[in-house]
């Protein structure tokens, strides 16, 4: 459990916080939120966020599913392990630990952004455990969050720069974080100030700037993971915001890799659909529960 000094500032009604113990080495403790009853559903968050990213979605689906919202390795309140990798295979290993150590089967995997890529590759690895995949705004194209705004391009370029990158990663002014996240929203008001505060608190955890920099550096591994999509045997639903950072050509490329997938485009929504249109995701999930 998080220490008193690093306890989340946001509580999602009906949820309880749990951990999966470290395996030693570079596989640290993982934290997840649990809520609801029914078939298992696993939520996988975006770049630079955490389980609380789904604060508005979880209450809408908890009557239909037993929800597990994971803090990906090193993110949120999962353990930060010095020297750990944060490329796609390492993050996928964390997701697979959740499914295997909790012995979850008949699972609906719902991921947004980076989490969408991990949902698809986990389904490719564990077909016997995954019932279906809902992949929201897959983060598997060049540029990624740098397409959010000019400020985002400047900040991400600085974080990735040799030498000064670690220093810049450790400095995260509230206005910059807010502006970058709002660049992923069609409705800017969907970014609540208490959520910004929570993300800033997590960003102050010892070692977190190293994690944040490594996650941005991992984008090429997320792009490479697209080669795994045709291996997915479970039904897939691709969901995109009309104003997502992905371009129509990016979306069509994924549709060609997943020709049997259902496809939904959410009008006026951006990259963070779980923040601004949780009702759309809830309706999609609850109608097939």
């Amino acid at each position: 459990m998080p220490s008193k000094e690093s306890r989340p500032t946001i509580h999602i009604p009906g949820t309880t916080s749990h951990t999966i113990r470290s395996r030693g080495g570079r596989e640290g403790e993982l934290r997840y939120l649990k809520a609801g009853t029914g078939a298992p559903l696993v939520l996988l968050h975006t770049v630079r966020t955490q389980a609380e990213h789904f604060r508005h979605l979880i209450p809408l689906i908890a009557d239909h599913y037993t929800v597990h919202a994971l803090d990906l390795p090193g993110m949120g309140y999962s353990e930060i392990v010095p020297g750990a990798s944060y490329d796609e295979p390492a993050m996928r290993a964390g997701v697979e630990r959740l499914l295997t150590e909790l012995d979850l089967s008949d699972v609906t995997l719902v991921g947004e952004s980076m989490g969408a890529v991990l949902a698809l590759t986990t389904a490719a690895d564990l077909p016997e455990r995954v019932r279906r995949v809902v992949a929201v705004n897959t983060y598997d194209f060049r540029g990624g969050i740098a397409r959010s705004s000019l400020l985002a391009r400047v900040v991400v370029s600085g974080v990735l720069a040799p030498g000064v990158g670690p220093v810049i990663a450790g400095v995260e002014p509230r206005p910059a974080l807010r502006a970058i996240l709002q660049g992923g929203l069609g409705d800017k008001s969907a970014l609540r100030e208490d959520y910004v505060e929570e993300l800033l608190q997590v960003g102050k955890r010892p070692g977190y700037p190293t994690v944040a920099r490594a996650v941005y550096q991992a984008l090429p591994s997320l792009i490479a993971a697209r080669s795994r999509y045709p291996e997915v045997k479970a039904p897939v639903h691709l969901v995109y915001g009309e104003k997502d950072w992905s371009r129509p050509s990016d979306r069509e490329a994924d549709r060609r890799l997943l020709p049997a997938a259902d496809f939904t485009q959410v009008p006026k929504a951006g990259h963070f659909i779980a923040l601004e249109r949780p009702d759309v995701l809830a309706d999609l999930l609850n109608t097939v529960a």
Side-chain angles (χ1 to χ4, degrees):
M1 296 290 291
S3 68
K4 184 176 181 180
E5 291 75 19
S6 62
R7 190 172 300 278
T9 59
I10 291 173
H11 175 68
I12 304 170
T15 63
T16 52
S17 182
H18 304 265
T19 56
I20 296 173
R21 288 186 295 180
S22 170
R23 285 183 174 178
R26 293 182 177 176
E27 292 188 291
E29 185 177 85
L30 297 172
R31 174 249 194 180
Y32 66 95
L33 301 178
K34 184 177 180 181
T37 58
L41 181 147
V42 172
L43 294 171
L44 304 173
H45 62 79
T46 74
V47 172
R48 185 50 188 98
T49 66
Q50 58 196 70
E52 281 77 12
H53 183 74
F54 299 105
R55 62 188 296 195
H56 303 304
L57 176 60
I58 291 173
L60 299 178
I61 60 177
D63 287 342
H64 296 82
Y65 298 94
T66 300
V67 180
H68 303 77
L70 178 66
D71 279 347
L72 290 167
M75 288 170 256
Y77 295 93
S78 287
E79 184 179 0
I80 296 172
V81 179
S85 171
Y86 295 98
D87 62 9
E88 187 276 331
M91 291 188 288
R92 179 180 3 120
V95 179
E96 293 178 4
R97 281 176 59 199
L98 179 76
L99 269 61
T100 57
E101 296 199 21
L102 299 184
D103 194 23
L104 302 180
S105 58
D106 199 31
V107 177
T108 297
L109 287 177
V110 182
E112 184 161 270
S113 184
M114 173 176 66
V117 177
L118 298 175
L120 289 163
T121 56
T122 297
D125 276 359
L126 301 177
E128 71 282 2
R129 292 186 180 273
V130 178
R131 176 184 177 187
R132 67 179 176 275
V133 177
V134 177
V136 184
N137 290 328
T138 55
Y139 191 81
D140 55 10
F141 47 86
R142 296 189 183 281
I145 197 170
R147 295 181 183 177
S148 169
S149 64
L150 175 59
L151 175 61
R153 288 195 293 276
V154 170
V155 171
V156 173
S157 296
V159 167
L160 295 176
V164 299
V167 176
I168 295 174
V171 179
E172 192 172 41
R174 179 190 301 269
L177 177 62
R178 185 191 299 114
I180 290 170
L181 292 173
Q182 284 183 330
L185 295 167
D187 176 8
K188 311 301 183 187
S189 68
L191 182 65
R192 308 289 180 85
E193 200 61 30
D194 61 344
Y195 184 49
V196 175
E197 182 63 34
E198 170 61 30
L199 295 178
L200 288 168
Q201 172 174 283
V202 166
K204 295 175 184 176
R205 293 179 64 202
Y208 195 86
T210 299
V211 176
R213 186 168 189 255
V215 171
Y216 288 131
Q217 290 173 320
L219 179 56
S221 72
L222 295 172
I223 296 171
R226 295 177 67 252
S227 65
R228 302 289 311 281
Y229 293 178
E231 301 174 36
V232 178
K233 294 181 172 60
V236 174
H237 198 136
L238 295 172
V239 181
Y240 288 97
E242 180 185 11
K243 298 182 179 180
D244 180 44
W245 300 326
S246 61
R247 300 184 177 115
S249 58
D250 300 319
R251 304 174 197 190
E252 285 304 314
D254 282 351
R255 292 183 75 175
R256 287 194 296 272
L257 292 171
L258 295 160
D262 292 326
F263 182 90
T264 296
Q265 181 164 282
V266 183
K268 300 181 180 180
H271 190 69
F272 302 118
I273 292 178
L275 293 183
E276 60 179 327
R277 293 303 308 273
D279 58 312
V280 171
L281 297 181
D283 287 347
L284 186 157
L285 293 165
N286 291 339
T287 56
V288 294

